[in-house]
Structure formats: structure tokens, C-alpha cells
Amino acid sequence: MAFITEVMIMNILSIFASLFVFQIWLERSSHIRYAKTKAIFGFSAISILWCMVFPLDKFDSFILDLRQVPIIIGSLYGGPIVAVGLFLLTLIARYIFFGADGYLTFLLMYLLLTPILIYFSRKFLQLTLKRKIIRSTMVSLGFSLFILVIITLFNSSHLDANLLLKLVIFPPVSMGMIIYIVEIVLNNYHLRQELIKSEKLAVISHLAASISHEVRNPLTASRGFMQLLQQGYTSPEKMRTFLDIAIKELDRAEGIIQDYLTFAKPAEDKKEAINVSSEIKKIVEILQPLANMNSVELDFSLAPYMVFGERSKFKQCVINVAKNAIEAMPEGGKLSLHIERKGDYVYLNVSDTGVGMTKEQVDRLGEPFFTTREKGTGLGMMVVYSIVDSFGGKVKVKSEKGLGTTFTILLPMYKNAVEVIG
Ligand code: ADP
Ligand code: MG
């Protein structure tokens, strides 16, 4: 008998392979709240199935495999819900793979193991790496010894070096190694989360400095006018012009603060499936008065697609783009909102027949405080880009000076709404 068999290597490799899946899963779902729990469950579930496909050995009705390693790791890291989930998965898989033979003993063993795991999962995440390894190896060793006793009780002739190696030595040792790598993966994940947060904080504090500057200007200007009025130096006509300017300036300051707050507000973390069509209907209602005031005709078409993210942000983003479009048509024109699907993306086209932009202007879109409008804040597009980014989407711009502009917002499609309803 070879000391380490091919099957043992196969088992360990399969667990490592699922660790890669775990890593990619975490990587891709950085915004979703329960990502970690889901990823831990996914990693353990795949590993359990893998291990059962390649058992190390069989004794009578006992199947010797490494499945206890992912079960223990998954339950300790994931807590009670994952523990129960993995327990149920193992119950089903054991029956499908190996039938009813020896099922009762198996069931009793796992009925005993699961509560123990749930108990040991409390505060497990706060332990140091060394203690995590010790605790999980001990649980694994204890479980192995328990199985050993049962196997020997059934038939003591099985007790030999082979059994000791595959049952008592191999699983706890694999456990230690895998916990070590799981810790590395989780550490990377947490570091990346911190980085994203601190990046946003950097932008916010950078902006805060310029915001106070941008807000102080209109305030100082308005104060100056009021002082002139107070001193009674002005004629009534001049007074009206001064007041007009002061009101415009104050509106601008208000707009800046509004946009800034939208950007700086922490994510609500409440992501959901958004029906693009019904949101567009609401947005059109909100925009209708502004469009009427500017003699802009609104044209829109709907299609039943869903995207995934924060609803209020989605609305904010489309409104910002559409408002710019209306404001680009001071002499009136036509604003169209169209939805279509290309591949895995929902395309939201917002086009206007307004003043258009030069290439230089297009390149500067999204830059804080870039505005060509008297009352503009130059923050609207920055908010749009940061929201679309958080949805995992892209913005494309086509514009011709004097002819008009088309903004295309590409968002990853979540589902066809018809599928959701039907
Ligand atoms: P604001 O609307 O406050 O000026 P934005 O960030 O929303 O700030 O837009 C920045 C600038 O981009 C606008 O001032 C305008 O020059 C240009 N822009 C945006 N959308 C359009 C559009 N649809 N047509 C023409 N110019 C646009
Ligand atoms: Mg704007």
C-alpha cells in the first residue's frame, strides 16, 4: 500500500480547487451583503460533493472520505445556518451516491456532529489563526476517533495502519492546511473591502475642501448684495437685478450641497431587483413638468428587463442624465428614453436634440465642477458615473455640437421581468 494514495491527493486537490471558486466568488460579489456566507456555503458544498465522488476507501457500509473537512470548515466559518444547510446537503448526497446501505449509522453520526459544530462556531471568527487551526483540528480528530470506534465495534479486523492513516491522520492534517489558506483568502477579501471604502473616503474629503470653496462664493456674493441694499445705495431697478443674482447664486449653492450629499451618502446596502420599465415610468412623471416648462417633448419606450442594485440610486442616475438633456434644449426639442437588450446588458438610451458637446467637453464629463451652465454644479455627471460603476455598468456618450447628444447607460441585466412574473 502506498503511503499516500492518488485518491488522497485527488481529494485534497478538489478542496483546493473549490477554494479557487470561493476566492472568485468573493471577488465578484464585493457589494452584496451576504456574499461571504454564500461563498462559504458554496465552497463547502462543492468540496463535499467532490469528496464524496472520490472516496478514500470503503469498509462494509462505511464510506471513508474527506467530506468532514469542508463540513467542519464551512460550519465553523459560516455559523448555524451554513452548518444546517451543509448537514441537509450531505444527507441528500449520501443517499444519492451510496444508497440506503449504512444510512442510519451515518445519520446518527452527523446528527451528533452538527450541534457540536454549531456550538464551536460561536466566536470562531474572532479566534487567532493558531487557535482556529487547533480548534478545527481537534473537532476533526474527535470526529475521526468517534468513527474509528464505531468501525472497530462493527468489525475489529479493519483496524490497521491504512485505516489510521486515512481516518485519523489525513483529515485533521488536511484541515490545518486548508484553514490556513482559507484565512489568506479571507484576509485578502477584507483588505480589498477596506481599500474600496478608503478610496471613496479620499474622494469625499477631497471634494469637501472644494465644496466649501464653491459654496462660499455664492454666499459671499449674496452677502455683498444685501449689504448694498442695507445701505440703501441702489435704485429699485438695480435692487431687482441684485436680488435675482443673489437667488440664483443661493440656488446654485443648494444644488452643490444636494449633489454632494447624494454622492457622499453611505450605500444603503439594500440591493434589489429593479424593473427598469416601471422606474422609467416614474422618472418620466417626475420630469414632465420640467420638460413642459422648456417646451421639450418626451418620448419613451419600455421593455421588460430587470437590473440589480439600489433603487434610489438608479432613479437618481437616470434623472441626472435626463435633466442635463432637457437643460441642453433651452429652445425646446425632443428627449427620448429607450430601453433595449444586447447580450447580457440592458441598454438605456437617453438622447436629446440639444446644444451638443465638443470632444473636449465630452472628455471632461464626470469631472467634479465641470459645468458650462450658469446655474450648474458640475456634480451631476460625477454622481452618474459613480452610480453606474456601483451597478457594474458603463456609460457611453455620443454627441455632436449643435445637433444633440445620446447617453447610453449599459447595466448588467438581472433577469427578464416576464420570467420573474411568470
Ligand atoms: P451640471 O448639469 O450641473 O452642469 P453635470 O455634471 O450634470 O453638471 O454636467 C456637466 C456638463 O456636461 C454640463 O454643464 C454640460 O456642459 C455637459 N452636458 C451634460 N449633459 C449634456 C447634454 N445632454 N447635452 C449637452 N451638454 C451636456
Ligand atoms: Mg446636471
Side-chain angles (χ1 to χ4, degrees):
M1 176 201 73
F3 186 64
I4 302 236
T5 63
E6 265 170 49
V7 181
M8 288 163 95
I9 296 179
M10 194 77 160
N11 267 269
I12 273 281
L13 272 183
S14 63
I15 298 182
F16 279 129
S18 352
L19 259 174
F20 273 111
V21 179
F22 174 48
Q23 162 104 36
I24 294 167
W25 208 324
L26 277 179
E27 210 60 53
R28 291 190 42 155
S29 49
S30 60
H31 297 292
I32 297 170
R33 201 172 185 170
Y34 298 108
K36 217 166 82 179
T37 315
K38 277 191 202 158
I40 288 173
F41 181 80
F43 150 70
S44 315
I46 295 172
S47 309
I48 291 170
L49 298 178
W50 263 112
C51 290
M52 289 171 103
V53 174
F54 301 106
L56 300 178
D57 223 329
K58 281 187 189 163
F59 299 94
D60 307 332
S61 60
F62 282 101
I63 294 104
L64 218 56
D65 57 37
L66 264 191
R67 81 179 92 123
Q68 58 162 295
V69 174
I71 291 179
I72 294 175
I73 294 183
S75 308
L76 291 182
Y77 277 95
I81 295 174
V82 174
V84 171
L86 294 176
F87 171 65
L88 295 176
L89 176 85
T90 317
L91 287 196
I92 297 168
R94 167 68 169 73
Y95 190 78
I96 293 175
F97 287 147
F98 308 110
D101 206 15
Y103 199 81
L104 197 62
T105 331
F106 150 82
L107 186 63
L108 288 177
M109 284 188 324
Y110 280 84
L111 270 179
L112 199 75
L113 178 68
T114 309
I116 293 177
L117 287 178
I118 292 177
Y119 176 77
F120 277 118
S121 72
R122 292 188 319 169
K123 302 218 176 107
F124 181 79
L125 295 179
Q126 278 102 297
L127 297 181
T128 59
L129 173 61
K130 203 167 123 192
R131 279 174 191 273
K132 275 180 189 154
I133 291 182
I134 294 175
R135 186 180 278 194
S136 54
T137 316
M138 284 302 140
V139 174
S140 171
L141 189 65
F143 189 56
S144 289
L145 288 174
F146 179 64
I147 299 177
L148 183 74
V149 170
I150 293 184
I151 290 184
T152 336
L153 279 182
F154 266 80
N155 187 343
S156 60
S157 70
H158 288 315
L159 186 61
D160 60 7
N162 178 40
L163 182 65
L164 284 180
L165 171 70
K166 285 178 183 164
L167 182 58
V168 184
I169 300 174
F170 192 49
V173 172
S174 319
M175 176 76 78
M177 277 163 45
I178 287 163
I179 293 258
Y180 194 78
I181 298 174
V182 168
E183 281 293 303
I184 295 176
V185 172
L186 283 178
N187 251 339
N188 279 341
Y189 172 71
H190 290 140
L191 274 179
R192 222 166 49 87
Q193 294 292 329
E194 288 301 309
L195 200 72
I196 292 171
K197 252 190 242 156
S198 67
E199 233 171 49
K200 187 170 176 198
L201 272 183
V203 176
I204 289 171
S205 55
H206 175 80
L207 278 179
S210 34
I211 292 272
S212 55
H213 177 77
E214 292 282 324
V215 172
R216 197 174 293 138
N217 283 347
L219 290 183
T220 323
S222 309
R223 188 180 188 283
F225 288 140
M226 287 181 192
Q227 218 164 11
L228 284 179
L229 295 182
Q230 187 189 38
Q231 291 159 358
Y233 286 149
T234 43
S235 61
E237 305 88 69
K238 268 198 172 163
M239 192 168 100
R240 172 139 309 139
T241 334
F242 284 168
L243 284 177
D244 275 349
I245 298 177
I247 288 173
K248 267 189 195 153
E249 288 288 291
L250 289 175
D251 282 348
R252 200 175 103 79
E254 215 242 299
I256 290 176
I257 292 171
Q258 187 60 45
D259 281 344
Y260 176 68
L261 287 182
T262 320
F263 179 72
K265 209 164 71 180
E268 284 164 31
D269 218 24
K270 218 190 83 196
K271 301 201 167 196
E272 54 191 325
I274 303 169
N275 185 330
V276 177
S277 285
S278 43
E279 291 310 311
I280 295 287
K281 268 190 219 153
K282 286 182 211 157
I283 292 168
V284 166
E285 267 168 38
I286 296 172
L287 289 172
Q288 197 70 59
L290 185 70
N292 292 346
M293 219 167 67
N294 289 275
S295 349
V296 167
E297 181 196 339
L298 266 178
D299 168 45
F300 64 98
S301 74
L302 303 172
Y305 302 123
M306 316 280 282
V307 295
F308 192 77
E310 286 166 55
R311 189 183 298 275
S312 61
K313 292 216 161 149
F314 175 82
K315 246 197 250 168
Q316 175 82 42
C317 165
V318 181
I319 288 178
N320 280 6
V321 173
K323 237 177 89 200
N324 281 346
I326 295 176
E327 286 159 352
M329 300 182 278
E331 316 282 304
K334 187 171 164 187
L335 166 64
S336 333
L337 282 162
H338 291 289
I339 311 171
E340 58 181 330
R341 174 191 173 178
K342 284 187 192 162
D344 292 335
Y345 282 86
V346 178
Y347 280 56
L348 189 66
N349 294 304
V350 183
S351 34
D352 64 63
T353 54
V355 294
M357 283 175 276
T358 61
K359 170 121 193 0
E360 290 71 35
Q361 286 175 330
V362 171
D363 287 341
R364 291 192 63 187
L365 278 176
E367 198 177 286
F369 305 116
F370 162 66
T371 178
T372 55
R373 297 189 302 109
E374 193 194 346
K375 270 175 79 177
T377 63
L379 292 175
M381 283 310 295
M382 182 191 77
V383 171
V384 168
Y385 280 103
S386 97
I387 292 176
V388 172
D389 199 43
S390 79
F391 272 71
K394 267 183 253 169
V395 181
K396 285 187 182 161
V397 191
K398 244 196 254 160
S399 186
E400 207 154 330
K401 194 78 193 157
L403 283 180
T405 308
T406 300
F407 278 91
T408 306
I409 303 173
L410 289 76
L411 300 173
M413 181 161 113
Y414 181 60
K415 254 182 193 157
N416 200 318
V418 179
E419 285 169 26
V420 176
I421 298 161

